[in-house]
Amino acid sequence: MTQPALDFVIATLEKIRETRDRSPRASRTTLARLQSGFPVAVSLPATPKSHEGARETSASPTERWLQPASNKAALLEPIRERVRVCTKCAHLASSRTQTVFGVGNPDADLMFVGEAPGVDEDQQGEPFVGRAGQLLTKILRAMGFAREDVYIANILKCRPDTPPGSFGNRAPTPIEMQTCRPYLVEQIEIIQPKVLVALGAVAVEGLLGMRGTMRELRGRWHSCNGIPLMITYHPAYLLRNQAPSEKRKVWEDMLQVLERLERPITDRQRNYFL
Ligand code: URA
């Protein structure tokens, strides 16, 4: 943020503090942005005066963006650090190898949200690197993306613990999801993807707070805080159900995503799994 713009923000906040009953409020993300010198959304009084250095935009009168180029990667770092040392779920903090924050391009138009790290992700510190992750990577390639082009994160940043000696993963509990969700919300607020994809019912529950069957939820557009959200099956489901009809369902959901992103789609792509 330029110095005149910053001066303007501070002067405006002081004015609000002096003239209103309640102090101005700012989210953690906004405060991090102010501290790091990156753009913030600022609520202005209803009849703003023009100030030198403030950018006039066509945004709503109370909401203006003061914006030099952003650095979303830098904005994500303090959150990554808070996640790294998080002990809100003591049982998960003590059982995890490490937290699994997210991976990919912070400037991505497309963001995938899964459930929680599994054993491979817990070992490697990266989401979707196990068998389900390899299938997700293949789906991305079929869409014309590399993993580095999109952003991938989970509802939970820790692997759900399992009894010693047991195999497999367990689903996150509602309390674990509620506890961890704010981190994901902050990630989404910073990345601001054009499209979100929820992989499986647990991701849907974590993002939208609602339960439903995938049959009724998938394949159509939902909204997550104003961001278009496509719901599709988790890749682990496709590993269990190898029928071409199920692959086609996921693929049709991804075709809708590509259309929404206005990406070119070849005839070959349209016909996958038919
Ligand atoms: N399944 C998920 O939902 N997330 C991962 O990171 C890996 C598997």
Side-chain angles (χ1 to χ4, degrees):
M1 188 181 296
T2 61
Q3 194 56 46
L6 191 55
D7 291 345
F8 169 64
V9 170
I10 292 167
T12 305
L13 291 174
E14 278 171 354
K15 191 164 175 198
I16 295 171
R17 192 173 56 190
E18 281 160 21
T19 56
R20 305 253 170 123
D21 294 346
R22 282 185 301 164
S23 296
R25 296 173 71 87
S27 68
R28 274 180 191 276
T29 309
T30 301
L31 288 174
R33 285 180 169 178
L34 276 171
Q35 278 160 2
S36 63
F38 291 116
V40 291
V42 186
S43 291
L44 298 176
T47 50
K49 297 199 178 88
S50 71
H51 291 258
E52 204 185 343
R55 287 232 284 149
E56 296 290 334
T57 71
S58 58
S60 80
T62 53
E63 191 93 323
R64 284 154 198 248
W65 288 88
L66 302 166
Q67 51 160 329
S70 88
N71 185 345
K72 295 179 181 179
L75 292 172
L76 287 172
E77 279 318 302
I79 308 166
R80 183 194 297 277
E81 183 53 23
R82 274 191 277 126
V83 165
R84 194 181 67 79
V85 297
C86 181
T87 55
K88 285 184 199 168
C89 306
H91 59 298
L92 301 187
S94 63
S95 64
R96 73 188 176 214
T97 306
Q98 58 194 312
T99 54
V100 179
F101 182 64
V103 73
N105 177 4
D107 290 303
D109 287 342
L110 179 56
M111 176 167 175
F112 288 81
V113 177
E115 184 175 314
V119 65
D120 298 298
E121 291 76 21
D122 173 72
Q123 294 287 326
Q124 297 182 42
E126 181 172 330
F128 282 99
V129 289
R131 279 184 70 223
Q134 286 158 23
L135 181 52
L136 177 62
T137 305
K138 277 192 192 165
I139 295 170
L140 287 174
R141 278 204 213 112
M143 295 173 78
F145 293 114
R147 270 173 82 90
E148 300 73 42
D149 296 329
V150 302
Y151 197 87
I152 307 172
N154 283 311
I155 302 288
L156 246 62
K157 310 305 189 209
C158 291
R159 178 176 188 230
D161 57 345
T162 49
S166 67
F167 292 102
N169 301 313
R170 75 160 167 85
T173 66
I175 290 179
E176 288 166 349
M177 287 199 273
Q178 254 175 42
T179 308
C180 209
R181 186 177 185 273
Y183 294 130
L184 179 66
V185 169
E186 286 190 74
Q187 287 174 295
I188 295 171
E189 272 179 12
I190 288 171
I191 295 164
Q192 291 180 32
K194 290 191 181 140
V195 169
L196 274 165
V197 175
L199 298 167
V202 172
V204 175
E205 190 179 340
L207 279 172
L208 300 183
M210 67 182 208
R211 288 184 190 204
T213 64
M214 289 306 288
R215 191 190 283 232
E216 63 198 18
L217 293 173
R218 65 148 280 276
R220 58 193 174 83
W221 290 103
H222 303 254
S223 170
C224 177
N225 290 341
I227 300 175
L229 170 73
M230 175 55 63
I231 295 175
T232 196
Y233 288 114
H234 193 286
Y237 169 84
L238 292 183
L239 292 174
R240 292 192 302 270
N241 298 273
Q242 306 250 352
S245 59
E246 299 311 282
K247 293 181 188 166
R248 177 67 195 179
K249 284 179 194 160
V250 170
W251 185 243
E252 282 177 3
D253 301 341
M254 295 305 101
L255 286 174
Q256 288 200 60
V257 167
L258 289 174
E259 276 165 8
R260 188 90 186 210
L261 291 172
E262 298 180 0
R263 302 268 301 191
I265 304 174
T266 64
D267 286 347
R268 190 156 169 259
Q269 277 175 313
R270 283 208 186 274
N271 294 329
Y272 283 161
F273 307 115
L274 275 181

